[in-house]
Amino acid sequence: MSSPVSIGEKESPVSPHTEGATSPTSEKACGEAEHLRNEGDEVFIKGEPVVTTGRDVSLYLVDVRDDGDPALTFRSLFIGTVFACLGAALCQIYDFKPVLVSVSTVFLLLLSYTVGLAWAKFVPRRSSVEGTRFESLGPILDFFNPGEFKIKEHVIATLVASTASYGNTAVLNFAVQRLYYSTDVKAITAVLATFSTSCFGYGLCGLLRPLTVYPSEMVYWANLPTVSVFQSLHFDTAANHKRMRLFWLAFAGMFAWEVIPSYIFPLLNGISIFCLASQHAKPSIQNLFTNVFGGADANEGLGLLNISLDWQYITSTCDYWQTNSWVGIALCYIILSVIYYSNAWNSLAFPMLTTSIFSSNGSIYDQSAVFGNTSQLNQTALNEVGLPYMTGSYVWSNITANLSIGGLLAHCLCFWGPYLRDTLRNKHSEIRADPHWKAMQKYKEAPCWWYIGLLALAFFSGLIVIIRGQTTLPWYAYVVALLLGSFITPFSQLLYARMGNGIATNQLMKMVGGAIAPGRPVANLYFSMWSHDIIAQSIGLAGDLKIGQYLKIPPRVMFLTQVWGTILVVMISIVNAQQAILVSPNGNNVWSGQVVQSLNSDAITWSLARELYGPGGPYFIVPLSLLIGIVPTVIQWRVAKRWPTIGPLKVENVILPLIYMYSAWMSFGVNSINTSSIIVGLVSQFWLRKYHPGWFRKYNYILGGALDGGAQVMIFILSFAVFGASGVPRPFPAWAGNPAEGNVDYCNGNGALS
């Protein structure tokens, strides 16, 4: 790979610029250089900067230009609100899909841009009535159409839409209560709980700005493609016609194509030569091939060497070409196979992959008998029914979650501790060195008391839910949840800001929740929601604040924009319409309850923490992994101090928490997409970037956003038209590419045909 860029392997967002895109600043700084040379801390190759730090990003990749155009207008808020509803609905649909996919921000960006241009062109302006008898209508027309659709309006519209499309764990908790506890959450509980988690996360994000947003090293690398597209569309208008033509052609093509693999010809989601060749093999071989090579249906198998042509799951936002994730995925194939076939944790008694919980005889665990209508433990019933059991793959997923959390804390303290100390001691000098922060000083800052007021409002909203809602969570546990989430938030933000990737910390929250509220699974759900969701919300919103800094959006406008976006969350009808599939351990190739199953399974097992996870329990290794995860990172840190590089490898760039996370990547869901995702990543981020940098710089992210958008809009339509989100599924007639029985990839072991 063309890899002078090395920020924890998260290279892709930066890459288009490293091969030839320079801002006016970079041209001035390095235009005459024709050979490798050093200037201070910067390195140039043939006149182009080699980007390795956040300072390089601020100086060379993101233009400091600020045209002073208006940001907050009726037009920007209206466009953002409309697409927020689309983004939030898509987010909720993908929460119940067999592969976890996020809504493409670049897609929302380009959609907003197209509508904004049309609005500016076709809606009457003040100039159209000047000098006429309708001149008095000028201010009204100016309110609705202030003129050219410029970058800041565009950013506001996109951020409102993308903020709403982050989703919210509260909505999933309501789904769990409806599916597993027959509880319909009251509207006031739903609204206040969602508001509480979202706005508390944003309040924390605002208070942490000097540490996790303002300094140059806080890049949020995953957002750089978005910044690049914004500035390309508005600062390089000569090439926009070709870009938008490519966008709409690719969008239309993928929109038309997606109906084929997702509805007409689902075999294309997992083409496996091994599965096709095993149809007449003896049952033991079919079972083996299904576990290892199957993967087109949810929880079918590991999907080794499968090829997928279904873009809704491949997407353009894959991280599969990074070295850390490669190592983790390779380990995942090996570890999950060894766990299952060695019968670790009695794995052979259960399916190889699922997030459901079981009784000792392999049947679905009867949680209603144990927890009843009160959602609290009945010890007598537990003694009769017995303890729940997890699949070996799900145990490993829980282990790696804790390994990752321990590794995250150790990595932040060991490798970035000096930076944190220096930043806290000299935060003003660190911040003032950033040219984008300097350019923002002409705008009024959003005062800290705004964020503190938001925290207070969110706190009391949540307290009302605790007192009046159906949470079973004691008030003191609610306070502990918020304190725990507030403690972990800076660590998670730092990892994401510096590395462009993050670690799910909700496993830690479930452990603590199980200790504080034993025997109460619903209480565990809400404890995890308030402690973990504020972290997830704060990371997304901090990244948006960094976009605002890069693109010179006034801080007070950003505050209002993000608060508005956080409350635009919609709930759709999939939960009721597809209840039987969502509670099934397997799901199908269209719908899967893996996320809500996982939430429920964790809530049940951690509410029985003493019996399952305590010393002598079958899963004691799970909580112990939190401490185990610290040790290898400390050893790595000691090695890095003695040998900073080993051969071509910079020891610091081995991110063990990410490797742990990817080593359980295929423990549930559709796994047929991995090979295709790696191929797409290599073609896009290696071949195009290295050998066609001009094309990559101009069109790569435009093309990716178009493909993602075309697929996601078609899935949105199909979900309600034929997949049954509206209540009545309309399956495509059976044929060879859409078999009526068994798995769609013809790996029919493990009783798939029965």
Side-chain angles (χ1 to χ4, degrees):
M1 295 185 183
S2 59
S3 187
V5 178
S6 59
I7 301 294
E9 304 298 336
K10 190 64 179 179
E11 304 172 34
S12 55
V14 187
S15 53
H17 306 277
T18 63
E19 297 291 346
T22 58
S23 69
T25 308
S26 62
E27 291 175 1
K28 180 179 179 180
C30 56
E32 298 178 358
E34 296 297 334
H35 58 281
L36 179 64
R37 62 185 176 88
N38 290 309
E39 248 181 45
D41 293 330
E42 290 82 29
V43 177
F44 298 92
I45 299 177
K46 295 183 178 180
E48 299 296 340
V50 176
V51 176
T52 58
T53 67
R55 182 173 181 271
D56 296 337
V57 172
S58 292
L59 290 176
Y60 304 117
L61 298 188
V62 182
D63 203 321
V64 295
R65 172 176 167 179
D66 182 4
D67 294 341
D69 46 303
L72 190 63
T73 66
F74 171 79
R75 178 169 62 189
S76 63
L77 278 182
F78 183 85
I79 294 173
T81 300
V82 170
F83 291 127
C85 294
L86 172 63
L90 283 171
C91 176
Q92 293 305 310
I93 287 174
Y94 277 104
D95 277 338
F96 300 101
K97 286 288 189 177
V99 173
L100 301 181
V101 175
S102 60
V103 180
S104 169
T105 300
V106 175
F107 161 61
L108 296 173
L109 180 160
L110 294 168
L111 212 55
S112 300
Y113 181 68
T114 302
V115 173
L117 290 181
W119 187 308
K121 183 175 181 179
F122 296 111
V123 174
R125 302 186 187 181
R126 177 199 288 261
S127 58
S128 64
V129 297
E130 287 179 348
T132 71
R133 59 179 178 173
F134 300 108
E135 190 168 3
S136 60
L137 297 176
I140 298 175
L141 295 180
D142 195 51
F143 173 79
F144 286 103
N145 186 0
E148 184 181 350
F149 188 65
K150 294 188 176 181
I151 187 170
K152 293 189 181 182
E153 272 193 287
H154 188 192
V155 172
I156 293 301
T158 303
L159 290 184
V160 169
S162 64
T163 300
S165 69
Y166 290 149
N168 192 294
T169 304
V171 177
L172 296 175
N173 278 7
F174 308 150
V176 171
Q177 286 185 269
R178 187 177 299 175
L179 288 168
Y180 293 96
Y181 300 92
S182 301
T183 301
D184 285 321
V185 177
K186 295 178 181 178
I188 188 66
T189 299
V191 171
L192 290 179
T194 304
F195 176 83
S196 175
T197 55
S198 298
C199 290
F200 201 94
Y202 186 40
L204 285 178
C205 164
L207 295 180
L208 291 170
R209 289 169 298 166
L211 178 66
T212 61
V213 176
Y214 292 159
S216 295
E217 292 305 315
M218 301 297 107
V219 177
Y220 294 88
W221 298 88
N223 288 338
L224 285 181
T226 303
V227 175
S228 173
V229 173
F230 272 126
Q231 294 197 335
S232 295
L233 290 175
H234 293 276
F235 295 166
D236 184 16
T237 56
N240 281 355
H241 177 71
K242 289 184 178 179
R243 289 192 182 105
M244 295 311 298
R245 184 170 181 270
L246 173 66
F247 171 78
W248 283 113
L249 284 174
F251 179 94
M254 184 51 66
F255 180 83
W257 165 256
E258 185 55 43
V259 71
I260 298 175
S262 61
Y263 183 55
I264 299 172
F265 198 169
L267 175 61
L268 296 178
N269 185 35
I271 303 171
S272 172
I273 301 300
F274 300 95
C275 289
L276 294 173
S278 68
Q279 294 180 68
H280 302 293
K282 58 183 181 180
S284 60
I285 297 297
Q286 285 192 340
N287 293 342
L288 174 65
F289 273 42
T290 299
N291 289 334
V292 176
F293 300 108
D297 278 87
N299 298 333
E300 179 188 349
L302 299 177
L304 181 62
L305 301 179
N306 280 12
I307 296 295
S308 174
L309 301 178
D310 190 347
W311 191 265
Q312 68 161 320
Y313 297 140
I314 299 171
T315 77
S316 66
T317 56
C318 59
D319 296 327
Y320 290 92
W321 69 285
Q322 299 181 69
T323 305
N324 284 309
S325 64
W326 274 354
V327 173
I329 287 173
L331 289 173
C332 186
Y333 285 116
I334 298 169
I335 293 172
L336 292 187
S337 298
V338 169
I339 287 174
Y340 186 72
Y341 286 104
S342 66
N343 200 29
W345 298 293
N346 200 27
S347 295
L348 292 173
F350 314 116
M352 185 178 185
L353 308 176
T354 185
T355 57
S356 294
I357 50 177
F358 299 87
S359 297
S360 57
N361 61 4
S363 62
I364 294 295
Y365 189 69
D366 187 4
Q367 68 179 62
S368 60
V370 176
F371 294 96
N373 296 328
T374 63
S375 300
Q376 297 189 39
L377 176 64
N378 182 330
Q379 188 64 49
T380 303
L382 177 65
N383 295 336
E384 295 176 359
V385 175
L387 292 171
Y389 291 85
M390 296 184 289
T391 63
S393 60
Y394 195 47
V395 175
W396 176 246
S397 177
N398 288 333
I399 289 173
T400 58
N402 278 352
L403 290 173
S404 298
I405 296 168
L408 164 66
L409 297 175
H411 197 96
C412 288
L413 294 175
C414 291
F415 287 100
W416 300 336
Y419 167 80
L420 293 175
R421 183 191 62 232
D422 295 342
T423 300
L424 291 172
R425 286 179 179 175
N426 310 295
K427 66 178 182 179
H428 293 297
S429 60
E430 289 283 335
I431 293 170
R432 287 171 182 165
D434 183 74
H436 296 279
W437 183 85
K438 291 179 183 177
M440 291 287 288
Q441 295 316 293
K442 63 183 177 181
Y443 300 111
K444 289 184 178 180
E445 182 60 271
C448 283
W449 70 265
W450 286 14
Y451 293 99
I452 294 173
L454 196 62
L455 285 173
L457 196 59
F459 173 80
F460 286 111
S461 297
L463 196 59
I464 292 172
V465 174
I466 293 296
I467 296 171
R468 306 289 296 178
Q470 304 123 301
T471 68
T472 72
L473 186 70
W475 68 267
Y476 57 85
Y478 167 66
V479 174
V480 172
L482 294 179
L483 292 174
L484 180 60
S486 301
F487 172 74
I488 297 294
T489 293
F491 295 98
S492 291
Q493 281 193 11
L494 283 169
L495 180 66
Y496 202 87
R498 292 178 66 101
M499 312 307 297
N501 212 333
I503 298 298
T505 56
N506 50 347
Q507 188 74 352
L508 173 64
M509 315 311 178
K510 295 165 185 172
M511 290 172 56
V512 178
I516 292 180
R520 300 185 181 190
V522 172
N524 192 279
L525 281 173
Y526 280 93
F527 184 95
S528 178
M529 178 191 78
W530 265 298
S531 53
H532 174 70
D533 207 47
I534 62 175
I535 300 173
Q537 291 289 331
S538 68
I539 290 173
L541 293 168
D544 288 349
L545 280 178
K546 192 66 178 187
I547 291 177
Q549 179 171 311
Y550 281 144
L551 299 177
K552 314 304 173 293
I553 307 300
R556 297 188 175 194
V557 172
M558 282 296 299
F559 179 88
L560 296 173
T561 298
Q562 292 185 286
V563 170
W564 177 240
T566 57
I567 62 177
L568 290 176
V569 178
V570 298
M571 179 64 180
I572 54 179
S573 60
I574 295 173
V575 174
N576 282 338
Q578 300 297 327
Q579 180 165 354
I581 294 175
L582 296 182
V583 298
S584 163
N586 296 323
N588 58 29
N589 66 310
V590 177
W591 300 114
S592 173
Q594 60 190 20
V595 175
V596 289
Q597 285 174 13
S598 175
L599 290 173
N600 180 64
S601 298
D602 286 338
I604 293 290
T605 56
W606 284 111
S607 69
L608 300 171
R610 182 172 58 85
E611 294 87 349
L612 293 173
Y613 297 108
Y619 307 123
F620 179 55
I621 186 64
V622 173
L624 199 61
S625 299
L626 187 66
L627 299 177
I628 296 173
I630 297 173
V631 177
T633 300
V634 173
I635 295 173
Q636 178 195 0
W637 173 64
R638 299 292 299 175
V639 171
K641 289 177 69 71
R642 178 66 179 84
W643 300 286
T645 59
I646 300 177
L649 176 66
K650 190 175 181 181
V651 176
E652 183 181 2
N653 286 348
V654 177
I655 311 298
L656 292 177
L658 295 181
I659 294 176
Y660 299 149
M661 181 177 69
Y662 278 100
S663 69
W665 200 248
M666 292 166 283
S667 57
F668 55 82
V670 167
N671 293 319
S672 60
I673 64 171
N674 293 319
T675 303
S676 296
S677 295
I678 290 172
I679 292 171
V680 168
L682 286 172
V683 170
S684 170
Q685 303 297 334
F686 173 63
W687 182 71
L688 281 176
R689 186 183 69 161
K690 185 176 179 65
Y691 297 107
H692 302 278
W695 196 97
F696 182 97
R697 185 175 67 249
K698 293 178 181 177
Y699 302 115
N700 183 72
Y701 294 119
I702 300 286
L703 177 61
L707 296 177
D708 291 348
Q712 290 176 358
V713 171
M714 175 54 75
I715 291 301
F716 178 78
I717 295 171
L718 291 177
S719 295
F720 291 94
V722 296
F723 289 157
S726 60
V728 182
R730 298 175 178 83
F732 193 79
W735 68 288
N738 181 36
E741 297 180 332
N743 297 318
V744 297
D745 57 7
Y746 288 94
C747 259
N748 288 322
N750 300 322
L753 293 174
S754 60

